[in-house]
Amino acid sequence: MAFNKMWYTVALGLLLPFSYAHTDFFTSIGHMTDLINTEKDLVVSLKDYIKAEESKLEQIKKWAEKLDQLTDTATKDPEGFLGHPVNAFKLMKRLNTEWGELESLVLKDMSDGFISNMTIQRQFFPNDEDQTGAAKALLRLQDTYNLDTDTLSRGNLPGVKHKSFLTAEDCFELGKIAYTEADYYHTELWMEQALKQLDEGEVSSADKAYILDYLSYAVYQQGDLGKAMMLTKRLLELDPEHQRANGNMKYFEYIMAKEKEANKSSTDSEDQMEQETEVKKKDYLPERRKYEMLCRGEGLKMTPRRQKRLFCRYYDGNRNPRYILGPVKQEDEWDKPRIVRFLDIISDEEIETVKELAKPRLSRATVHDPETGKLTTAHYRVSKSAWLSGYESPVVSRINTRIQDLTGLDVSTAEELQVANYGVGGQYEPHFDFGRKDEPDAFKELGTGNRIATWLFYMSDVSAGGATVFPEVGASVWPKKGTAVFWYNLFPSGEGDYSTRHAACPVLVGNKWVSNKWLHERGQEFRRPCTLSELE
């Protein structure tokens, strides 16, 4: 009875932290930290189960040892042993009562409490979508930061505190997920890594035959028939009766024979086509290449001459009374568009308050659908966000006032403070903050005009990755805790500044928290007057 109470207490204790379920765990490191605590509690629960099983086995062991000694003595002289009336009574008692109790003990299931806990917690576990999302994130990081599979598998990433590695089984799983997405390029990379680790002697439950089956097909799909045949032959050496491999081998040999019959000009033509295809692969999305290069710190377009025109200064918000005696530190990050960074602009205490207010409300970040005008989730924005109003907390109100004082813009028509936490490989691909001419109703429901400017707080340092980049102009702005960057999305004329197209690079290592304020046109008529020139 005491044992059952103990399990009930553990189950209840595990249930309380998750009074509601979260979805899309992979999109927020902040929410994934809850899973660490859940897993720790489950480990404690599992250890309690092991102790209960060990205690049960210890009781059975003691019983067996006692009876082993007793029966050894009794079998040497049965009549003499039973001649003692106490021995005769105890024999009757053991066989009639005690062996039954032992049977009950052996049959007693000590796993009920643990299974109960698992059942309760399973409804709050990540699902297949989370696992697939996390796997795709690794593939995205691999591409963005030019990481080879061996580097990623061994966990050799910059700035890591807790090094971890991928087993052959993990690599196989990544390859399978890529395969289900018809991503044969990454299927090949990760199946080859799994095979390499097995060939190096790693002990694993991953099966070489399964890996070779996936790998040969992925290679064939990419047009490398010779390598596909070689891999299939290796598979048949392991399993000569493999039905699909035998069928594929006959098909590959048939295709190979047809290719040999083709003349050289045809072959040259195919080679040229393959080269053109490769060029197309590299050039299929020029902006994507610029974006990834900037994420790696490459491709910056700031010349030494322009660099000389960037300065740092103490800024008083154009003689704002709050900052005349205590100006803030400001530095130029870029000239066109003008991006400035404010240093030490939000304290650690304010950051923690904002995070604590936001964390319970974090939900999958959304984007405006230009066709429907509604908010929707998108694969190119991997994060969770929450919105905070100034009336909820004096800290948020103080932050809003600070933004108004330093920008000179009216925040009463601005959107609420948006807090975002990025997930595994969290990113937001290139986008505009303002509504374009082909999206006339983008912010119609707000009634405050277009987004005139963006203020972005960095609320954490990021060990690697996570930069804010501007592909059109070749600018990269790196996260630094306690700082904020500011830029105008619109020219004074009200026309959109297309050079402000920007992106949040995937977080390679670390946890990225940001908060931003989108300021709107309404209320800025005298604070930032219009000009007659369209691009001024």
Side-chain angles (χ1 to χ4, degrees):
M1 187 67 180
F3 185 75
N4 290 335
K5 282 184 178 178
M6 179 185 73
W7 278 111
Y8 176 80
T9 303
V10 174
L12 183 60
L14 287 172
L15 179 60
L16 290 176
F18 281 95
S19 56
Y20 55 95
H22 295 309
T23 56
D24 296 331
F25 279 106
F26 74 96
T27 63
S28 168
I29 295 294
H31 271 170
M32 288 177 68
T33 57
D34 294 335
L35 296 178
I36 294 288
N37 295 326
T38 299
E39 190 169 43
K40 176 62 178 174
D41 287 341
L42 284 173
V43 169
V44 171
S45 175
L46 179 60
K47 289 171 77 173
D48 286 341
Y49 161 64
I50 292 170
K51 285 179 183 177
E53 287 285 10
E54 287 175 341
S55 175
K56 169 182 162 181
L57 287 173
E58 188 62 30
Q59 291 179 59
I60 296 171
K61 183 179 177 182
K62 287 179 179 177
W63 178 268
E65 288 173 350
K66 182 180 76 171
L67 287 183
D68 185 41
Q69 185 178 1
L70 184 65
T71 52
D72 275 350
T73 303
T75 51
K76 290 176 182 175
D77 181 13
E79 289 186 3
F81 182 82
L82 291 174
H84 194 304
V86 172
N87 286 338
F89 165 73
K90 292 184 73 172
L91 177 62
M92 298 300 104
K93 179 176 174 286
R94 280 198 305 274
L95 291 173
N96 183 52
T97 304
E98 294 180 11
W99 275 99
E101 291 174 353
L102 179 63
E103 182 183 22
S104 297
L105 178 61
V106 171
L107 292 174
K108 186 176 182 180
D109 189 352
M110 313 301 285
S111 67
D112 287 349
F114 176 69
I115 296 302
S116 175
N117 282 338
M118 283 290 293
T119 303
I120 292 169
Q121 291 300 325
R122 189 173 285 113
Q123 59 186 314
F124 304 109
F125 278 11
N127 55 24
D128 289 342
E129 183 184 349
D130 286 302
Q131 184 172 334
T132 300
K136 287 181 179 178
L138 285 178
L139 304 183
R140 182 164 60 247
L141 291 171
Q142 182 180 14
D143 291 344
T144 303
Y145 296 104
N146 276 349
L147 302 171
D148 61 75
T149 50
D150 195 58
T151 297
L152 202 50
S153 176
R154 296 181 189 281
N156 294 326
L157 302 177
V160 293
K161 291 182 180 178
H162 309 283
K163 190 172 179 180
S164 185
F165 62 91
L166 294 170
T167 64
E169 191 175 358
D170 294 331
C171 297
F172 178 52
E173 188 63 32
L174 283 169
K176 281 201 299 181
I177 288 172
Y179 180 87
T180 59
E181 298 289 321
D183 178 0
Y184 300 117
Y185 169 72
H186 285 109
T187 303
E188 179 184 1
L189 290 180
W190 285 102
M191 291 300 176
E192 283 187 336
Q193 182 64 27
L195 198 60
K196 175 187 173 185
Q197 291 180 203
L198 290 178
D199 288 342
E200 289 175 350
E202 181 180 317
V203 177
S204 172
S205 60
D207 190 310
K208 281 188 180 181
Y210 279 125
I211 294 171
L212 287 164
D213 194 12
Y214 278 99
L215 182 55
S216 61
Y217 184 77
V219 168
Y220 166 70
Q221 284 292 327
Q222 295 180 89
D224 193 341
L225 185 60
K227 186 176 179 181
M229 287 185 71
M230 179 202 59
L231 292 166
T232 306
K233 285 178 182 176
R234 185 176 173 186
L235 170 54
L236 289 171
E237 288 173 4
L238 293 174
D239 184 3
E241 305 301 319
H242 197 288
Q243 188 174 355
R244 185 165 47 251
N246 278 300
N248 286 345
M249 197 65 193
K250 290 176 183 177
Y251 176 71
F252 293 158
E253 288 171 346
Y254 168 73
I255 296 295
M256 186 70 79
K258 284 189 68 177
E259 284 188 356
K260 285 182 179 178
E261 292 174 6
N263 57 39
K264 189 176 183 302
S265 62
S266 160
T267 303
D268 290 343
S269 174
E270 286 178 5
D271 289 341
Q272 184 179 354
M273 190 181 299
E274 284 182 9
Q275 290 174 2
E276 289 174 357
T277 302
E278 183 64 27
V279 170
K280 285 179 182 177
K281 279 183 181 178
K282 290 180 180 178
D283 293 342
Y284 76 103
L285 190 59
E287 182 184 60
R288 180 80 190 181
R289 288 204 325 278
K290 292 179 190 174
Y291 158 61
E292 291 181 348
M293 287 177 68
L294 289 169
C295 289
R296 296 191 296 268
E298 304 167 6
L300 296 175
K301 294 183 179 179
M302 179 57 68
T303 63
R305 185 176 180 180
R306 288 169 62 192
Q307 181 80 39
K308 289 179 181 178
R309 294 201 291 267
L310 301 181
F311 296 96
C312 58
R313 64 191 67 80
Y314 282 101
Y315 182 68
D316 62 10
N318 292 324
R319 304 291 294 172
N320 186 288
R322 290 189 180 92
Y323 295 100
I324 290 176
L325 295 179
V328 297
K329 290 179 278 188
Q330 185 193 72
E331 60 185 29
D332 298 327
E333 284 282 349
W334 208 257
D335 51 358
K336 291 184 179 178
R338 185 165 187 252
I339 306 169
V340 295
R341 187 194 294 263
F342 294 88
L343 286 74
D344 303 320
I345 202 63
I346 184 170
S347 68
D348 289 349
E349 292 76 15
E350 289 172 326
I351 287 173
E352 289 308 310
T353 298
V354 169
K355 286 166 63 175
E356 288 304 310
L357 288 170
K359 192 171 179 181
R361 307 187 212 171
L362 288 175
S363 60
R364 182 74 184 267
T366 56
V367 297
H368 273 280
D369 186 329
E371 294 183 4
T372 65
K374 296 180 179 179
L375 293 173
T376 182
T377 58
H379 68 88
Y380 55 84
R381 188 177 191 187
V382 182
S383 64
K384 283 187 175 181
S385 62
W387 300 84
L388 303 180
S389 298
Y391 65 81
E392 296 180 62
S393 165
V395 170
V396 178
S397 178
R398 188 164 65 242
I399 288 171
N400 288 340
T401 301
R402 189 176 306 152
I403 294 171
Q404 177 166 297
D405 290 342
L406 293 173
T407 62
L409 299 175
D410 186 355
V411 297
S412 66
T413 59
E415 294 173 49
E416 294 177 344
L417 187 71
Q418 181 182 220
V419 183
N421 178 227
Y422 289 80
V424 185
Q427 63 162 4
Y428 191 178
E429 291 185 3
H431 62 281
F432 297 103
D433 280 351
F434 63 90
R436 274 77 66 211
K437 289 181 178 179
D438 59 347
E439 303 173 299
D441 299 331
F443 307 109
K444 184 178 180 180
E445 71 278 7
L446 298 178
T448 53
N450 211 341
R451 288 173 175 167
I452 191 172
T454 296
W455 177 286
L456 177 65
F457 284 111
Y458 292 113
M459 301 199 302
S460 66
D461 291 314
V462 179
S463 300
T468 305
V469 299
F470 295 74
E472 292 295 315
V473 296
S476 293
V477 179
W478 298 92
K480 185 177 180 183
K481 186 178 181 181
T483 70
V485 291
F486 173 77
W487 67 87
Y488 281 103
N489 297 306
L490 306 180
F491 292 111
S493 64
E495 291 295 318
D497 184 351
Y498 284 79
S499 68
T500 62
R501 185 170 172 82
H502 60 285
C505 294
V507 178
L508 179 57
V509 178
N511 188 5
K512 182 181 177 183
W513 284 88
V514 298
S515 58
N516 66 277
K517 194 81 172 173
W518 282 310
L519 299 111
H520 283 248
E521 291 177 292
R522 188 68 53 81
Q524 321 304 344
E525 293 83 355
F526 299 104
R527 293 170 181 261
R528 195 191 189 219
C530 290
T531 59
L532 298 177
S533 173
E534 185 175 322
L535 299 180
E536 288 184 4

